[in-house]
Amino acid sequence: MPARKLYFEGIRVGDELPALAKAPIDRVQLSRYAGASGDFNPVHVDEVYAKSVGMPSVYAPGMLVMGMLGQLISDWARGGQLRRYHVRFIKMVWPGDTVVCKGRVSDRHGESGRYFVDVELWAENQRGELVMKGNSTIQLFFSLEDENRQRAGQSPIVVEVPRESLLQASAQTPGEDEEDDERRAGAMSGKKTTGSKPAAKTATAPAVPQASAAAKKAKK
């Protein structure tokens, strides 16, 4: 039986995604990831080389953690379309670390029959330290009825939903200090951050009306 789909009408700002805890990182996983991705940077797979360049050991590629955070949002957004996915690498992940991925709905809005949900994402290690933060935008059908109408070639249900945001400030300003950025992400997770500046590397992968009453009014 297929998993129940996610619809816009059932989502509220502040909803938390079920946390995704991954098994502790080990060197076998790093080797397998290198083979699957084609990224054979020795700092991730060669212990001797990693120590020769000043590292205590090999460490996980940032893209591996990005994939874990991507699994969280893709598992949650059942039937939705991923429109944007962006992350910032904050802290290194070492063998033995456990990555816990979390998320929270930060924004929702809809107009002209198109409905979008923004989700703040972050990953922590077993000590509660922030290792990655990000965000994504998901496009959803308003409801099951809306999906059925569109798949049948009919016009979508149209409900104008003003933008609702979890954060009072809109988007981050281009010059915002990265330490403030980390503290904000840490505050969302309820954990204290280390106070060190996050790495600059980033990666990018491209009151609400009641559903029943609104849908009936919008039906043609």
Side-chain angles (χ1 to χ4, degrees):
M1 182 176 181
R4 180 179 61 82
K5 288 188 176 181
L6 190 69
Y7 294 108
F8 183 83
E9 66 175 353
I11 298 173
R12 296 293 177 267
V13 169
D15 287 352
E16 295 189 358
L17 281 59
L20 173 65
K22 305 296 291 186
I25 302 290
D26 60 31
R27 289 166 175 76
V28 173
Q29 182 180 22
L30 298 184
S31 296
R32 288 175 174 171
Y33 181 82
S37 65
D39 179 6
F40 292 98
N41 188 327
V43 296
H44 303 311
V45 294
D46 188 330
E47 193 86 10
V48 174
Y49 177 84
K51 290 182 177 179
S52 74
V53 295
M55 295 296 176
S57 74
V58 294
Y59 59 93
M63 298 298 286
L64 174 59
V65 183
M66 183 180 180
M68 294 174 179
L69 208 53
Q71 181 185 348
L72 172 72
I73 188 65
S74 61
D75 286 351
W76 178 76
R78 305 174 301 273
Q81 299 180 51
L82 183 65
R83 294 303 189 187
R84 181 174 58 88
Y85 179 40
H86 174 274
V87 300
R88 171 171 293 180
F89 306 106
I90 304 294
K91 193 178 184 66
M92 289 182 176
V93 174
W94 305 95
D97 282 353
T98 299
V99 176
V100 181
C101 302
K102 301 180 180 182
R104 180 180 296 140
V105 176
S106 60
D107 188 289
R108 70 193 294 274
H109 61 98
E111 60 180 344
S112 304
R114 302 178 70 199
Y115 305 96
F116 299 92
V117 172
D118 292 342
V119 181
E120 296 288 342
L121 302 165
W122 66 94
E124 304 169 357
N125 61 22
Q126 69 276 11
R127 293 178 293 278
E129 298 168 334
L130 188 69
V131 299
M132 179 173 286
K133 72 178 294 285
N135 51 72
S136 66
T137 299
I138 308 295
Q139 182 176 353
L140 298 162
F141 290 109
F142 183 83
S143 62
L144 175 60
E145 181 183 2
D146 181 40
E147 179 180 7
N148 290 337
R149 284 169 60 91
Q150 293 195 52
R151 294 196 183 283
Q154 301 176 26
S155 58
I157 290 177
V158 178
V159 180
E160 299 301 318
V161 182
R163 183 177 293 273
E164 301 174 70
S165 179
L166 182 65
L167 302 177
Q168 295 300 319
S170 54
Q172 172 181 308
T173 57
E176 183 174 291
D177 188 273
E178 289 181 342
E179 286 190 19
D180 291 339
D181 190 37
E182 180 180 353
R183 284 196 295 270
R184 177 182 300 163
M188 288 193 301
S189 68
K191 302 293 184 180
K192 293 183 179 179
T193 59
T194 60
S196 59
K197 284 191 175 182
K201 293 176 63 178
T202 62
T204 303
V208 183
Q210 291 295 322
S212 58
K216 289 179 181 178
K217 290 180 181 180
K219 287 181 62 178
K220 296 183 177 181

